mmCIF file of all heavy atoms in Angstrom:
data_model
loop_
_atom_site.group_PDB
_atom_site.id
_atom_site.type_symbol
_atom_site.label_atom_id
_atom_site.label_comp_id
_atom_site.label_asym_id
_atom_site.label_seq_id
_atom_site.Cartn_x
_atom_site.Cartn_y
_atom_site.Cartn_z
ATOM 1 N N TYR A 50 0.822 16.892 0.395
ATOM 2 C CA TYR A 50 0.816 18.290 0.740
ATOM 3 C C TYR A 50 2.191 18.935 0.697
ATOM 4 O O TYR A 50 2.304 20.152 0.832
ATOM 5 C CB TYR A 50 0.201 18.487 2.129
ATOM 6 C CG TYR A 50 -1.261 18.170 2.201
ATOM 7 C CD1 TYR A 50 -1.672 17.039 2.856
ATOM 8 C CD2 TYR A 50 -2.212 19.012 1.595
ATOM 9 C CE1 TYR A 50 -3.083 16.734 2.877
ATOM 10 C CE2 TYR A 50 -3.562 18.698 1.641
ATOM 11 C CZ TYR A 50 -3.986 17.563 2.265
ATOM 12 O OH TYR A 50 -5.339 17.256 2.271
ATOM 13 N N MET A 51 3.209 18.153 0.512
ATOM 14 C CA MET A 51 4.555 18.636 0.452
ATOM 15 C C MET A 51 5.399 17.727 -0.521
ATOM 16 O O MET A 51 5.192 16.534 -0.553
ATOM 17 C CB MET A 51 5.209 18.666 1.833
ATOM 18 C CG MET A 51 6.612 19.173 1.868
ATOM 19 S SD MET A 51 7.285 19.076 3.556
ATOM 20 C CE MET A 51 6.348 20.387 4.333
ATOM 21 N N HIS A 52 6.273 18.415 -1.304
ATOM 22 C CA HIS A 52 7.154 17.618 -2.171
ATOM 23 C C HIS A 52 8.476 17.386 -1.473
ATOM 24 O O HIS A 52 9.056 18.278 -0.816
ATOM 25 C CB HIS A 52 7.378 18.431 -3.439
ATOM 26 C CG HIS A 52 6.247 18.316 -4.432
ATOM 27 N ND1 HIS A 52 6.397 18.510 -5.772
ATOM 28 C CD2 HIS A 52 4.917 18.018 -4.232
ATOM 29 C CE1 HIS A 52 5.212 18.393 -6.380
ATOM 30 N NE2 HIS A 52 4.323 18.075 -5.466
ATOM 31 N N PRO A 53 9.040 16.189 -1.658
ATOM 32 C CA PRO A 53 10.383 15.938 -1.141
ATOM 33 C C PRO A 53 11.478 16.585 -2.020
ATOM 34 O O PRO A 53 11.181 16.875 -3.143
ATOM 35 C CB PRO A 53 10.455 14.409 -1.137
ATOM 36 C CG PRO A 53 9.609 14.017 -2.286
ATOM 37 C CD PRO A 53 8.485 15.013 -2.323
ATOM 38 N N ASP A 54 12.635 16.690 -1.439
ATOM 39 C CA ASP A 54 13.780 17.131 -2.277
ATOM 40 C C ASP A 54 14.241 15.992 -3.190
ATOM 41 O O ASP A 54 14.654 16.213 -4.329
ATOM 42 C CB ASP A 54 14.913 17.630 -1.376
ATOM 43 C CG ASP A 54 14.512 18.808 -0.547
ATOM 44 O OD1 ASP A 54 13.659 19.571 -0.962
ATOM 45 O OD2 ASP A 54 15.036 18.970 0.603
ATOM 46 N N GLU A 55 14.200 14.803 -2.611
ATOM 47 C CA GLU A 55 14.618 13.615 -3.376
ATOM 48 C C GLU A 55 13.752 12.475 -2.909
ATOM 49 O O GLU A 55 13.137 12.466 -1.831
ATOM 50 C CB GLU A 55 16.056 13.248 -3.136
ATOM 51 C CG GLU A 55 17.108 14.267 -3.665
ATOM 52 C CD GLU A 55 18.511 13.831 -3.436
ATOM 53 O OE1 GLU A 55 18.796 12.593 -3.456
ATOM 54 O OE2 GLU A 55 19.373 14.660 -3.139
ATOM 55 N N GLY A 56 13.734 11.399 -3.753
ATOM 56 C CA GLY A 56 13.017 10.198 -3.370
ATOM 57 C C GLY A 56 11.700 10.058 -3.989
ATOM 58 O O GLY A 56 11.213 10.920 -4.756
ATOM 59 N N SER A 57 11.012 8.927 -3.738
ATOM 60 C CA SER A 57 9.709 8.693 -4.381
ATOM 61 C C SER A 57 8.780 8.054 -3.348
ATOM 62 O O SER A 57 9.186 7.443 -2.374
ATOM 63 C CB SER A 57 9.865 7.709 -5.544
ATOM 64 O OG SER A 57 10.324 6.426 -5.118
ATOM 65 N N VAL A 58 7.478 8.305 -3.560
ATOM 66 C CA VAL A 58 6.413 7.711 -2.687
ATOM 67 C C VAL A 58 5.304 7.250 -3.564
ATOM 68 O O VAL A 58 4.819 7.930 -4.472
ATOM 69 C CB VAL A 58 5.797 8.792 -1.734
ATOM 70 C CG1 VAL A 58 4.731 8.191 -0.858
ATOM 71 C CG2 VAL A 58 6.913 9.427 -0.876
ATOM 72 N N GLN A 59 4.927 5.983 -3.348
ATOM 73 C CA GLN A 59 3.789 5.409 -4.054
ATOM 74 C C GLN A 59 2.721 4.950 -3.041
ATOM 75 O O GLN A 59 3.068 4.346 -2.018
ATOM 76 C CB GLN A 59 4.220 4.212 -4.919
ATOM 77 C CG GLN A 59 5.021 4.581 -6.150
ATOM 78 C CD GLN A 59 5.107 3.486 -7.160
ATOM 79 O OE1 GLN A 59 4.782 2.353 -6.864
ATOM 80 N NE2 GLN A 59 5.540 3.833 -8.355
ATOM 81 N N ILE A 60 1.502 5.286 -3.306
ATOM 82 C CA ILE A 60 0.361 4.831 -2.520
ATOM 83 C C ILE A 60 -0.547 4.023 -3.378
ATOM 84 O O ILE A 60 -1.070 4.492 -4.406
ATOM 85 C CB ILE A 60 -0.430 6.057 -1.935
ATOM 86 C CG1 ILE A 60 0.470 6.993 -1.161
ATOM 87 C CG2 ILE A 60 -1.595 5.578 -1.109
ATOM 88 C CD1 ILE A 60 1.023 6.418 0.120
ATOM 89 N N ASN A 61 -0.662 2.753 -3.052
ATOM 90 C CA ASN A 61 -1.504 1.822 -3.788
ATOM 91 C C ASN A 61 -1.141 1.833 -5.297
ATOM 92 O O ASN A 61 -1.970 1.802 -6.167
ATOM 93 C CB ASN A 61 -2.974 2.198 -3.637
ATOM 94 C CG ASN A 61 -3.930 1.072 -3.987
ATOM 95 O OD1 ASN A 61 -3.532 -0.126 -3.954
ATOM 96 N ND2 ASN A 61 -5.131 1.382 -4.435
#
Side-chain angles (χ1 to χ4, degrees):
Y50 291 109
M51 179 182 290
H52 281 204
D54 297 331
E55 294 182 35
S57 64
V58 180
Q59 289 196 347
I60 304 294
N61 198 26

